[in-house]
Amino acid sequence: MISPSSLYLHIPFCRIKCTYCAFNTYVNLDNLIEPFVQAMIQEIKIVGSSKDRQQLHTVYIGGGTPSLLTAEQLQRILAAIQSEFDLLPGSEISMESNPSDLTSDYMASVRAIGVNRLSIGMQSANESELKLFERRHDLNAVIKAVEAARKGGFDNLNLDLIYGIPQQTLADWENSLKVLLQLQPEHVSLYALGLEDGTPLKTWVETGKYPAPDDDLAADMYDLATDMLGGAGLAQYEISNWSKPGLECKHNLQYWRNLPYPGVGPGAHGYADGVRYSTILSPQRYIKVMKETQNNFVYPRTPATDQAVVVDRDSEIAETLIMGLRLTQEGIDRETFRQRFGEDLLDVHPETIARYEKHGLLYVDDKVVRITTKGRLLSNMVFRDLV
Ligand code: SF4
């Protein structure tokens, strides 16, 4: 059976570059947004037309800050997707957003064009942490954004929080979690702060302006979050993600099940027809190559494709294991694995799996292999040994 694809769209614009951010995103390029929308529509047409009509069951508009696009621009992008793909009934259409952009009129318009899942970058409920990140919103803007989204008709909201922030105490983190729970999101994503090369935050830590994140404290924060979110009826289904029952992010499940997702836009990543690829980073170059484009690209490549690697069987197995073990409830279904690769998962890594099962890091039965609560703390070691 051919499973439907997911489509990722990368919107590479932001108003302000947050101090921790290493995503492919640019400020002060608002004049390029409209030419970019036209270029993205062109790329969607190429991806859609270079293969027999494909079924999609999720679309994810990420970035960057997709909420810098008008509802009309988003509508044209979605119309291009609908004309080039079979968007299945009930498809999940997610969009990331910055709280400062979310008025109730904008939310109602975005909901009306078909976006049915909204991710709001809350990041913290503590003003000092939002200032450290140079986020362009305060807590009040987050509360108003959630109100606007609800008023606009969104019943599937994700809120993101970051933990392990320099100078953040366990009490600060507890406060962020409490405020988040008061906002009653259907889905929560928690990210441990990473100090990324080239970011101001990394420089500040390296020069001693701020202390380095404390790994032990971050582990305590993770445990606290697990207790608080679980206690509020949000079930953990992935190492960093919790949701109300049935509202897991279908798009991200596609990644963790290692299933196909073409990606479009500058700096997008994609995986389709056995090819893993990334696109050119510069929005200016992206607009230029898409304008000058000729057809005849071999799916999933487009004029914007930069790097592309054909994934061999061993790599596909390794990626399927690493991604699948992130799914804390679902794990890796042994029958699905056998159908995909023609052999039982336990025959691929018999000794490693037996050893980790014996030490209580992996749970194994006739149907699944999955990571245990104890294994989650050592997940990097388990993943490394399995590839
Ligand atoms: S809003 Fe998001 S994508 Fe933009 S700079 Fe901040 S963290 Fe990065």
Side-chain angles (χ1 to χ4, degrees), residues 11 13-25 27 63-65 96 98 123 133-136:
I11 312 293
F13 304 106
C14 286
R15 278 273 138 73
I16 294 173
K17 188 88 179 176
C18 305
T19 56
Y20 58 92
C21 179
F23 293 136
N24 187 50
T25 183
V27 297
T65 309
E96 292 178 348
N98 187 296
Q123 316 309 5
F133 288 157
E134 293 181 15
R135 297 286 298 176
R136 70 180 158 102

Side-chain angles (χ1 to χ4, degrees), residues 137-311:
H137 60 85
D138 56 14
L139 174 60
N140 194 36
V142 174
I143 295 167
K144 286 210 165 108
V146 171
E147 280 168 16
R150 296 297 190 202
K151 217 168 145 207
F154 280 93
D155 58 6
N156 193 357
L157 287 187
N158 170 64
L159 295 178
D160 288 338
L161 282 182
I162 298 176
Y163 63 98
I165 303 168
Q167 296 176 332
Q168 185 183 35
T169 64
L170 202 56
D172 294 332
W173 175 236
E174 186 176 7
N175 179 55
S176 280
L177 289 165
K178 272 187 189 154
V179 174
L180 172 136
L181 288 173
Q182 281 161 8
L183 296 171
Q184 302 189 312
E186 283 72 30
H187 190 284
V188 176
S189 299
L190 304 182
Y191 299 102
L193 180 70
L195 296 175
E196 304 289 343
D197 286 345
T199 59
L201 199 56
K202 182 163 186 184
T203 307
W204 295 338
V205 168
E206 282 174 348
T207 55
K209 187 172 173 191
Y210 286 97
D214 174 338
D215 289 346
D216 290 338
L217 181 58
D220 291 344
M221 291 178 177
Y222 184 82
D223 288 344
L224 179 67
T226 305
D227 290 346
M228 288 177 67
L229 299 180
L234 291 155
Q236 183 170 19
Y237 69 99
E238 195 269 345
I239 286 183
S240 307
N241 286 277
W242 285 256
S243 79
K244 292 196 174 157
L247 291 173
E248 299 83 11
C249 177
K250 292 195 187 91
H251 186 86
N252 286 341
L253 283 173
Q254 187 88 353
Y255 298 157
W256 296 317
R257 289 172 182 156
N258 202 20
L259 294 171
Y261 62 96
V264 298
H269 290 257
Y271 171 53
D273 272 17
V275 177
R276 205 167 274 287
Y277 63 98
S278 58
T279 58
I280 51 180
L281 299 177
S282 153
Q284 290 92 337
R285 256 196 81 212
Y286 177 79
I287 292 165
K288 187 162 183 284
V289 295
M290 294 314 303
K291 232 189 225 157
E292 294 168 355
T293 199
Q294 315 284 327
N295 279 330
N296 301 324
F297 284 88
V298 179
Y299 180 86
R301 297 164 184 83
T302 76
T305 306
D306 182 21
Q307 315 267 339
V309 194
V310 176
V311 179

Side-chain angles (χ1 to χ4, degrees), residues 302-324:
T302 76
T305 306
D306 182 21
Q307 315 267 339
V309 194
V310 176
V311 179
D312 63 24
R313 185 175 178 275
D314 285 351
S315 303
E316 189 181 340
I317 288 177
E319 287 164 3
T320 303
L321 293 180
I322 290 178
M323 303 299 275

